[in-house]
Amino acid sequence: MSEGRGAAGVPDVARPRRKRLRVRLQRRLKSLSRQPFAMRVAGRAVFDLLRLIGAAQRPASGSDDFSAILTSQHPAIVALWHGQHLLAPFFRPRHLPYVALLSRSADAEINAGVVERFGIRTVRGSGGRVREAASRKGGARALIELKRLLDAGTGVCMIADVPKGVPREAGLGIVTLAKLSGRPIIPSAAATSRRRTLEKTWDRTTIPLPFGRMAVAMEPPILVPPDSTPNDMERLRREVTAAIERANTRALALADGLVPEARA
């Protein structure tokens, strides 16, 4: 191979040019994917796919009666983990109104389209980092709107851990909402026996697959007193974290046909 040439005899000077072209193409495709029309098409496709996957699930033995639990506690704050939320539309009692908190990022537009097609309203903002959210992500306004909806009788579905933060660690946002509204937090999880986990994603997103056994697990309600101190809030935040993880562990065990551990 002569000096200055690649393995196929292509001059090395062409490689930076190809790389620049590839980067430009990637940026262009990313820009096109964020156009409103593209997001609507993607949202519809994801909705149709999830609906088919949900219809192909069998209930797992030992699963909690989510309809009875959520009806008795309505309006409640249903708490989930990032990456474990794609089955959430399938354990919402159809006769109860619900709203979901979604981030204001461009990527969340697709999620919003999916959620709204399932008949669930959306509020945009980040409820995890309360102080940062107040100035940068609309979190404070989102919490006020969620409290108003809870007061009016609408349940809230809220992912408890903070986007791009520590996965499976509840933020203060969900505890703050419970304190402001006086409504209970219901630590929840759903899992199917047929699933694929995307190990390289920050939250280890789990993709449900069809023809599995779907399990739903819910822990006892957690109330946040209106006079809770900062120390109380931190303690309750840790309690919510532990309870959602217990629900998640139990849902996975039920879906996989294993004997779940007894509730704490």
Side-chain angles (χ1 to χ4, degrees):
M1 182 172 64
S2 61
E3 185 177 356
R5 290 182 174 269
V10 179
D12 289 341
V13 70
R15 293 180 180 177
R17 186 181 305 160
R18 290 199 303 271
K19 182 177 181 181
R20 288 195 299 271
L21 289 173
R22 186 168 61 250
V23 170
R24 288 176 187 170
L25 179 60
Q26 289 171 345
R27 288 176 178 172
R28 181 60 177 164
L29 290 174
K30 184 175 182 180
S31 176
L32 289 173
S33 71
R34 292 189 173 185
Q35 295 301 311
F37 174 76
M39 289 186 174
R40 286 195 297 272
V41 171
R44 179 72 201 195
V46 173
F47 166 74
D48 288 340
L49 181 60
L50 281 178
R51 187 172 57 173
L52 288 173
I53 290 171
Q57 301 297 317
R58 308 186 308 277
S61 178
S63 216
D64 288 339
D65 187 346
F66 64 86
S67 184
I69 293 170
L70 295 181
T71 299
S72 68
Q73 298 293 329
H74 191 74
I77 304 164
V78 180
L80 307 164
W81 285 148
H82 263 104
Q84 308 292 315
H85 61 284
L86 291 177
L87 290 172
F90 304 112
F91 64 88
R92 172 183 67 93
R94 295 297 181 91
H95 63 285
L96 298 177
Y98 267 87
V99 63
L101 176 65
L102 299 177
S103 75
R104 301 173 71 187
S105 68
D107 293 338
E109 289 296 332
I110 295 175
N111 290 335
V114 174
V115 168
E116 289 168 0
R117 283 184 172 87
F118 276 110
I120 303 170
R121 296 173 59 184
T122 59
V123 168
R124 309 301 293 274
S126 174
R129 297 186 180 99
V130 177
R131 294 177 184 173
E132 297 175 21
S135 60
R136 294 195 303 169
K137 297 187 179 179
R141 291 190 296 274
L143 288 175
I144 292 170
E145 176 64 10
L146 291 175
K147 178 189 179 302
R148 185 189 69 79
L149 289 166
L150 283 165
D151 291 344
T154 297
V156 170
C157 180
M158 189 168 176
I159 296 175
D161 45 347
V162 180
K164 304 303 181 181
V166 179
R168 301 190 182 185
E169 181 175 320
L172 277 172
I174 193 166
V175 183
T176 301
L177 178 60
K179 176 182 177 179
L180 292 173
S181 65
R183 301 309 305 161
I185 298 171
I186 310 294
S188 307
T192 176
S193 58
R194 284 180 45 77
R195 59 187 183 269
R196 176 163 296 177
T197 301
L198 305 182
E199 300 289 349
K200 293 185 178 181
T201 55
W202 77 273
D203 57 2
R204 299 180 72 245
T205 297
T206 299
I207 306 297
L209 301 175
F211 311 116
R213 293 183 305 273
M214 177 177 151
V216 177
M218 293 183 167
E219 290 293 299
I222 297 175
L223 290 169
V224 181
D227 58 350
S228 295
T229 66
N231 286 339
D232 294 332
M233 297 286 280
E234 175 59 22
R235 174 181 55 79
L236 288 163
R237 184 195 67 79
R238 292 195 300 268
E239 184 177 333
V240 170
T241 295
I244 301 175
E245 192 54 30
R246 284 197 303 272
N248 191 55
T249 300
R250 191 157 57 87
L252 289 168
L254 288 167
D256 291 341
L258 304 175
V259 178
E261 296 178 3
R263 291 188 184 187

